[in-house]
Amino acid sequence: MDADAIVVGAGFAGLACARALRAAGRSVIVLEARERVGGRSAPATLAGRTVDVGGQWVGTGHTRLCALLDEHGLRRRPQYDDGANILRHGGRNRRFSGDIPRVHPWALLELELALRDLARRQADLPPDAPWHHPRARQLDAVTLETWARRRLRSGSARAMFDAAVRAVFSAEPGDISLLYFLFYCRSNDGFETLIGTAGGAQAEVVEGGMHALASALAEGVDIRLGEPVRTVRQMSDRVSVATGAGTHEASRLVLTVPPALQADITFEPDLPVARDRLGRRMPMGSVIKCLVAYERPFWREAGLSGMALSHEQPFSPVFDASPADGSQGALVGFFDGAPAVDWSPAEPAARRAAVLDSLAAYFGDAARAPVDYVENDWLAEPWSRGCYVGLMPPRVLTEVGTALRAPIGRLHFAGTETATEYCGYIEGAIRSGERAAAEVLDGSD
């Protein structure tokens, strides 16, 4: 055999898995379809700086990610959030501090009560088996939008909630089941943590970019770039993997690609029905990430943090992405959910114009004079087909969710979608890779 184990995918799940197996003395080959490592983390250059056009944030509780960053000498710093944030609603900008915008008192109260209801519902949800919740089937039979329409009657409250959901999931509330939403919140310490900066999921950024960690983890690993897997054949004593470059054999295989991409692979014998249907029923979120550079962070002069949120503008949310010394200005933001689907077919120049229009609505006409611009349309990436994470519409979690992590003979599964803690984030991907490596070691021949 070529190795003790083959890992498919050189994102953070695959790299963490390979690292754990190599530390245990096992030989590993990593097969990656792209011509780079990092998966849903990717670098680009903006005004002479390396920036992330993929996953970038370190959240509170992301302990494994922090440990790896520290091990490789990569420094973290807080996400800039000094000053007032902007909520654009009803054609007007409203300044607010913290994570929850200050709108009409009734809308704020309604939103607060709704968030309490969500927190109560998720408290007794087992993150490793949400389908065991006593009301799992009822919760999984409806969309998050159905729940929101019942709980949020105020237009302002609905607009804020929808914008926040879109920012977290890169999807619309009608795209995901209520049970999946509750699981995701439970996995990530609650909805308010998911939307938060300080103390939340967007607490810190990495100096030099998150992708630097992927490059560091890849050092010394036998990674075959540009080798998409076409066929996986499982035999009694080994697994054979065919790519465009040849065939590799190993005792075990770990698949770390999103479930939505498994249909591109032929499995012999066929995957069990539940695993096959899981891949066909978990679409990826929709997101286009854009960064804009300026001569200086002019919004700070107006007492603004650079954070903006809107249900009306297509480019939302937005954050400050300036270097630590403030020598340049930079903003990072997203077309999320339906706006990403709408804008993905557009010409890059048209998307750039839409970004600048939104930024001018938030921060004034000075936003129309950037010195550089870069974007990444994740919907157009053939080996991702979207971001940030695979989604679960109604009745997927309860019907086939048990297949997410269950090994199939010599096949094991990792990836942030399979994580029970910090699902959807790099932290979840790392933990899933280490969990899959432990499974391989436990089942070694």
Side-chain angles (χ1 to χ4, degrees):
M1 290 185 285
D2 300 298
D4 294 319
I6 292 172
V7 176
V8 179
F12 279 99
L15 294 172
C17 183
R19 169 190 167 94
L21 290 171
R22 293 177 76 241
R26 303 299 195 271
S27 58
V28 184
I29 294 174
V30 179
L31 302 176
E32 170 55 53
R34 296 179 174 91
E35 295 294 342
R36 61 167 180 81
V37 300
R40 285 167 263 181
S41 164
T45 300
L46 179 76
R49 289 193 301 131
T50 299
V51 295
D52 289 307
V53 290
Q56 73 173 77
W57 277 292
V58 182
T60 301
H62 294 186
T63 54
R64 291 298 302 130
L65 174 55
C66 289
L68 290 174
L69 289 167
D70 292 344
E71 178 183 331
H72 290 89
L74 296 170
R75 296 175 56 194
R76 313 187 306 272
R77 61 181 171 89
Q79 167 63 46
Y80 186 88
D81 64 355
D82 293 345
N85 304 325
I86 291 291
L87 169 69
R88 187 164 184 84
H89 179 63
R92 296 191 303 120
N93 289 342
R94 306 182 187 192
R95 295 190 176 203
F96 69 97
S97 59
D99 299 322
I100 306 296
R102 299 298 173 188
V103 291
H104 190 281
W106 172 249
L108 198 61
L109 175 62
E110 191 177 46
L111 186 60
E112 181 178 343
L113 292 174
L115 293 178
R116 286 183 186 177
D117 178 60
L118 291 173
R120 176 184 58 79
R121 288 172 180 265
Q122 74 191 43
D124 58 350
L125 194 76
D128 58 338
W131 44 85
H132 285 161
H133 187 278
R135 299 187 64 244
R137 290 196 175 275
Q138 296 97 307
L139 295 171
D140 204 30
V142 298
T143 66
L144 179 61
E145 181 179 25
T146 299
W147 172 89
R149 287 191 175 186
R150 292 171 181 167
R151 295 293 311 221
L152 301 173
R153 303 299 179 88
S154 163
S156 296
R158 274 298 305 276
M160 285 190 297
F161 183 76
D162 288 357
V165 168
R166 193 178 293 127
V168 170
F169 292 91
S170 297
E172 304 300 315
D175 294 335
I176 58 179
S177 85
L178 178 56
L179 181 65
Y180 175 71
F181 175 83
L182 293 172
F183 154 74
Y184 200 89
C185 291
R186 178 78 168 81
S187 169
N188 286 284
D189 302 322
F191 188 56
E192 293 186 58
T193 298
L194 282 165
I195 64 175
T197 49
Q202 289 73 227
E204 296 179 315
V205 293
V206 180
E207 294 282 7
M210 181 66 76
H211 191 266
L213 178 60
S215 298
L217 294 176
E219 292 180 4
V221 180
D222 185 358
I223 301 176
R224 315 291 176 88
L225 299 177
E227 284 203 41
V229 171
R230 302 303 185 194
T231 303
V232 171
R233 184 184 177 200
Q234 185 173 190
M235 295 166 277
S236 61
D237 63 340
R238 68 187 65 197
V239 178
S240 176
V241 180
T243 73
T247 301
H248 310 277
E249 292 191 346
S251 177
R252 301 268 167 176
L253 180 140
V254 180
L255 190 69
T256 73
V257 301
L261 296 186
Q262 76 180 27
D264 295 340
I265 302 173
T266 299
F267 291 88
E268 300 176 0
D270 292 339
L271 292 175
V273 171
R275 181 70 206 190
D276 179 69
R277 290 186 176 181
L278 184 74
R280 298 178 189 279
R281 296 172 65 185
M282 276 190 74
M284 297 297 291
S286 303
V287 63
I288 305 169
K289 185 174 183 179
C290 311
L291 293 100
V292 188
Y294 297 92
E295 291 183 354
R296 69 186 198 285
F298 62 86
W299 50 92
R300 298 182 184 180
E301 299 163 10
L304 298 174
S305 68
M307 189 275 183
L309 182 70
S310 177
H311 184 61
E312 302 165 351
Q313 296 293 322
F315 190 60
S316 168
V318 175
F319 299 87
D320 189 306
S322 306
D325 60 6
S327 56
Q328 293 178 341
L331 294 167
V332 57
F334 308 84
F335 294 92
D336 278 326
V341 176
D342 292 342
W343 282 96
S344 181
E347 293 294 326
R351 269 198 304 270
R352 181 181 183 275
V355 168
L356 298 184
D357 285 344
S358 290
L359 293 179
Y362 301 139
F363 305 116
D365 284 341
R368 297 188 184 278
V371 297
D372 202 4
Y373 172 89
V374 66
E375 67 173 27
N376 195 47
D377 180 359
W378 285 93
L379 284 80
E381 290 244 354
W383 306 116
S384 296
R385 295 185 195 156
C387 261
Y388 312 112
V389 64
L391 306 170
M392 288 194 174
R395 290 181 293 278
V396 174
L397 195 50
T398 50
E399 291 182 7
V400 294
T402 55
L404 264 173
R405 291 175 293 279
I408 302 169
R410 295 179 176 275
L411 306 184
H412 302 263
F413 300 92
T416 194
E417 287 82 6
T418 72
T420 59
E421 295 178 293
Y422 304 106
C423 178
Y425 285 80
I426 293 172
E427 175 74 11
I430 292 168
R431 294 190 187 204
S432 78
E434 293 172 344
R435 184 259 309 152
E439 291 177 1
V440 170
L441 294 173
D442 287 344
S444 295
D445 296 325

